Amino acid sequence: ILYILIFAIDSLNGDADFYLETANNLLNGCGFAFTNNSGECETIIGGYFPGYFLLLSFLLFLGADLKRILLFKSIAIVLSILCVSNSLIQLGMARKKVFWFTILFGLSPLSFGFSRFIVIEPILYCFSMLMLSETINLVNKNKKFNLIFIRAIILTIISIYFKPTSFLIILPFLITCYISKGIKFLIKYFFLFLICIILAITPWGIRDLNNGASYPFQAWSSRMPTN
């Protein structure tokens, strides 16, 4: 049904022009910039991280049009849900129950409704599903914790570079870590996680400062009035 919606319905929404415009500016050598009222590239300072725009520009570079970009996102969602299903099976859940969980995940408004638009949310949904998979793996005693923790950090860093508020996807993982490992173990790995996040996002904060931001990671963007 989702594929029918993608091909049969106009998939442009209010944010689509901005996303595609910025992605094309990246391809055209303008850097991370929007097109101002004079038709010139103007650097985006604050408000946004570059992850989603880089993904769009990469897909455009490969020759993808709007519909193919949406198909890529829908395939990514399916694969992320399958990762959760596989983790549940490895944990020992009956395949019949896993099947119904998979149906429920697939019917989420973020995965089903928003996937026909050029917005960030479906990609963030993929990261959420992948983090859920790692959280389930954390409960599985046969899985190595250090490897799971490294993957969780990488997922969180990448998701932050798509949208800063998505750092929240680590919270269920940390809560599960506390329940299964204890408070001392959680504190140790939480500070390690925090250091990794700070080191990973600092370059983008410095980039904003070098381009005239009032402070690193300012909430408003040069593309819109200060709020």
Side-chain angles (χ1 to χ4, degrees), residues 172-186:
F173 183 89
L174 294 175
I175 292 170
T176 305
C177 184
Y178 163 69
I179 293 171
S180 62
K181 303 290 185 178
I183 186 64
K184 290 183 179 179
F185 195 87
L186 171 64

Side-chain angles (χ1 to χ4, degrees), residues 57-71:
S57 63
F58 176 70
L59 294 174
L60 291 171
F61 173 76
L62 294 178
D65 57 12
L66 177 63
K67 299 298 182 181
R68 288 188 176 93
I69 292 173
L70 295 173
L71 283 175

Side-chain angles (χ1 to χ4, degrees), residues 99-117:
F99 170 78
W100 288 112
F101 269 112
T102 303
I103 295 297
L104 288 174
F105 291 141
L107 290 176
S108 163
L110 285 178
S111 66
F112 185 76
F114 276 94
S115 296
R116 69 185 191 275
F117 296 121

Side-chain angles (χ1 to χ4, degrees), residues 20-157:
L20 294 172
E21 168 193 288
T22 304
N24 278 305
N25 285 341
L26 279 167
L27 281 178
N28 295 330
C30 288
F32 189 51
F34 68 98
T35 304
N36 60 25
N37 293 332
S38 301
E40 300 174 342
C41 291
E42 186 173 331
T43 301
I44 298 174
I45 305 168
Y48 299 96
F49 272 54
Y52 186 56
F53 304 93
L54 288 171
L55 174 62
L56 286 180
S57 63
F58 176 70
L59 294 174
L60 291 171
F61 173 76
L62 294 178
D65 57 12
L66 177 63
K67 299 298 182 181
R68 288 188 176 93
I69 292 173
L70 295 173
L71 283 175
F72 168 84
K73 291 166 66 177
S74 65
I75 291 171
I77 287 173
V78 171
L79 293 176
S80 67
I81 293 174
L82 289 177
C83 282
V84 176
S85 301
N86 182 61
S87 295
L88 289 171
I89 291 171
Q90 291 184 10
L91 189 62
M93 180 177 284
R95 289 181 178 271
K96 186 175 181 180
K97 289 184 178 180
V98 172
F99 170 78
W100 288 112
F101 269 112
T102 303
I103 295 297
L104 288 174
F105 291 141
L107 290 176
S108 163
L110 285 178
S111 66
F112 185 76
F114 276 94
S115 296
R116 69 185 191 275
F117 296 121
I118 300 291
V119 290
I120 299 178
E121 283 75 12
I123 298 296
L124 299 182
Y125 179 82
C126 292
F127 291 133
S128 298
M129 288 293 100
L130 292 174
M131 186 62 77
L132 177 57
S133 177
E134 297 300 344
T135 304
I136 296 168
N137 290 335
L138 190 61
V139 181
N140 191 336
K141 302 300 181 182
N142 297 321
K143 298 285 187 177
K144 293 182 178 180
F145 175 79
N146 287 339
L147 185 59
I148 295 171
F149 186 77
I150 290 171
R151 291 199 299 258
I153 289 177
I154 293 172
L155 276 172
T156 305
I157 291 171

